[in-house]
Amino acid sequence: MTGPGLDYDKASLARVYNYYLRGKDWSSVDEETAQAVIRLAPDVPEAARENFRFAGRAAVWAVAEHQIRQVVDIGVGIVNDLPLPSVENCVLSVDPGATVLAFDNDEVVLAHARALRRGYGRVLRGDVTDLDSVFKHPDAVGLIDTAKPLVVILAAVLHFVPDAAAVMAGLRERLALGSVVVVSHVTSTQTSGRRVAGMTKAYDEKAISPIYFRTEEEIRALADGWDIVTPPGLVDVQRWSPDGTYAGPLYDTVRVLGMTVMLPGHLQEQADTPGGGR
Ligand SMILES: C[S@@+](CC[C@H](N)C(=O)[O-])C[C@H]1O[C@@H](n2cnc3c(N)ncnc32)[C@H](O)[C@@H]1O
């Protein structure tokens, strides 16, 4: 340990991801973990970049298409040193007046954001498995209004959560009709068992949290009680594009699936209720 809550003996999920994205904020244990994964699945860095682009693209779609002006990015990671536009940058490029709040539960991410104070200058401590820590965070109260539609970004975070369905059920309970949740998740479907087992083992042995590969059907089931926005539905992140204008190449060694979901009945509710709130 090099400081309170900062454990440099274990790989941080955020720093391993930063390594994949060609950032600079990783240490040797993060590099070892990332390299163990990349040896098994050389497409991981490119898939991570496509996942990052998906999050921004889907957030922009939700904000522009549904005029939702509040975005909550949970599990934001380290975004400041990347040669890619963050969710916040993407959202503000289409709606400069939108509110974007970022949360993470990793001390490393929080310390990094505090030190830099640019881009996502503010990352709040919040855990996706404890939604009160996000929506009742003292610094969020007054900035976001859960009685009105929100966009919630869950990009590459639910695969670190054992009970991802409980997170989606919790969001269903507390978000207003018309809200959008953006989800991406690694899948074991159409990836060799040897690769999935090896990547799982790398995180088990070296990282602060295990990784849970889920099948395509298990990921689709996370949308139970929600409407999956179709087209494009649940697809590889680099194929997620409602108007079909974005289509990156598919990868042989790893797959990350993406979808956006809305609460059922939102269209009827919006028609019935001026403003679209619950
Ligand atoms: C792979 S990174 C994804 C970063 C970013 N969302 C993206 O897709 O570009 C996963 C992030 O989720 C965070 N995370 C993992 N479990 C979490 C939890 N229970 N609550 C909040 N954040 C979590 C990690 O600290 C890390 O920053």
Side-chain angles (χ1 to χ4, degrees), residues 9-78:
D9 297 332
K10 286 276 189 185
S12 146
L13 306 174
R15 286 187 312 229
V16 172
Y17 186 69
N18 186 263
Y19 183 91
Y20 297 148
L21 293 175
R22 300 198 194 114
K24 299 183 187 70
D25 293 293
W26 40 267
S27 63
S28 56
V29 67
D30 307 308
E31 181 178 30
E32 277 166 31
T33 309
Q35 283 297 342
V37 169
I38 292 167
R39 274 194 296 279
L40 286 153
D43 296 314
V44 161
E46 199 47 52
R49 278 191 284 282
E50 286 296 347
N51 171 68
F52 198 89
R53 292 187 187 108
F54 158 77
R57 198 163 65 247
V60 162
W61 170 84
V63 167
E65 183 79 14
H66 297 283
Q67 288 81 50
I68 304 174
R69 311 202 65 211
Q70 21 181 24
V71 178
V72 172
D73 188 349
I74 312 177
V76 62
I78 299 167

Side-chain angles (χ1 to χ4, degrees), residues 12-18 20-21 48-49 51-55 73-79 82 87 103-109 125-130 133-134 153-162 167 184 203 208-209 211:
S12 146
L13 306 174
R15 286 187 312 229
V16 172
Y17 186 69
N18 186 263
Y20 297 148
L21 293 175
R49 278 191 284 282
N51 171 68
F52 198 89
R53 292 187 187 108
F54 158 77
D73 188 349
I74 312 177
V76 62
I78 299 167
V79 298
L82 301 175
V87 165
F103 293 84
D104 209 287
N105 73 341
D106 186 342
E107 264 319 311
V108 166
V109 175
R125 185 192 310 279
D127 193 310
V128 76
T129 64
D130 172 11
S133 71
V134 172
I153 311 292
L154 300 179
V157 62
L158 289 181
H159 50 232
F160 298 114
V161 172
V167 175
S184 63
Y203 278 87
I208 56 174
S209 160
I211 189 165

